[in-house]
């Protein structure tokens, strides 16, 4: 997937019994849409269409959170940042990882019935086997979700 707004690194490699795909997305509202399209293309190419919709939903939530929370909490100017999406497939699992420059820890929270936001990690939590985050030595964090195709 090459197109406007996708910058820098884009790679797909086979690693032992798995595959890794990475793209750097701009710190721009269109990044979530680019991430959804790319995820669909990659999982179809890998023959993992049975988890495509779930992965697209999770990637969309993680990229949106990176844009809303990770970029603004970073110490540099917003224009100096990007968000990295990485998909890792190692049978039978697929891991979706989103890296952003922020150091704020992602927190599951309960949103009231009239709240317009705040449910993203709850959606991720309900759709995956497991999710988590890790602060990076070079700064920023990666938030990940592990998916398993239905048996």
């Amino acid at each position: 997937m090459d197109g406007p707004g996708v910058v820098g690194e884009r790679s797909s490699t086979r690693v032992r019994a798995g595959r890794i795909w990475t793209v750097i997305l701009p710190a721009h509202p269109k990044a979530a849409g680019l991430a959804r399209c790319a995820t669909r293309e990659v999982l179809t190419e890998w023959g993992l269409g049975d988890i495509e919709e779930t992965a697209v939903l999770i990637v969309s939530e993680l990229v949106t959170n990176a844009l809303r929370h990770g970029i603004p909490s970073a110490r540099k100017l917003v224009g100096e940042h990007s968000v990295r999406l990485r998909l890792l497939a190692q049978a039978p699992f697929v891991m979706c990882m989103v890296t952003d420059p922020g150091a704020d820890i992602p927190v599951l929270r309960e949103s009231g019935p009239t709240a317009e936001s705040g449910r993203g990690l709850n959606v991720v939590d309900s759709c995956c086997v497991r999710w988590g985050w890790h602060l990076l030595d070079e700064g920023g964090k990666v938030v990940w979700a592990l998916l398993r195709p239905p048996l």
Side-chain angles (χ1 to χ4, degrees):
M1 188 201 99
D2 291 321
V6 178
V7 296
E9 174 185 0
R10 178 191 179 274
S11 63
S12 182
T13 51
R14 293 187 72 106
V15 178
R16 295 187 188 170
R19 295 179 183 217
I20 298 173
W21 182 87
T22 303
V23 67
I24 296 177
L25 301 163
H28 187 275
K30 291 184 179 184
L34 293 169
R36 288 190 295 271
C37 290
T39 299
R40 276 192 175 88
E41 288 179 21
V42 170
L43 292 181
T44 297
E45 180 183 316
W46 289 352
L48 295 168
D50 50 349
I51 62 165
E52 182 179 306
E53 291 305 314
T54 303
V56 165
L57 176 62
I58 286 172
V59 162
S60 185
E61 293 296 341
L62 294 181
V63 170
T64 298
N65 281 352
L67 295 171
R68 294 181 104 191
H69 306 290
I71 298 286
S73 70
R75 293 196 167 123
K76 295 180 184 174
L77 297 175
V78 172
E80 298 176 7
H81 295 296
S82 58
V83 172
R84 178 176 294 158
L85 167 62
R86 179 168 284 163
L87 301 175
L88 169 63
Q90 191 147 1
F93 299 101
V94 172
M95 184 174 284
C96 305
M97 297 170 275
V98 174
T99 304
D100 68 58
D104 292 348
I105 297 169
V107 177
L108 271 174
R109 57 183 168 154
E110 289 196 32
S111 297
T114 59
E116 294 183 14
S117 65
R119 296 181 184 86
L121 287 177
N122 290 306
V123 170
V124 171
D125 186 56
S126 68
C127 292
C128 67
V129 174
R130 187 173 181 176
W131 74 275
W133 55 269
H134 181 75
L135 294 176
L136 302 172
D137 291 339
E138 64 273 12
K141 69 178 171 301
V142 60
V143 182
W144 54 268
L146 186 64
L147 303 172
R148 182 181 183 138
L151 298 176

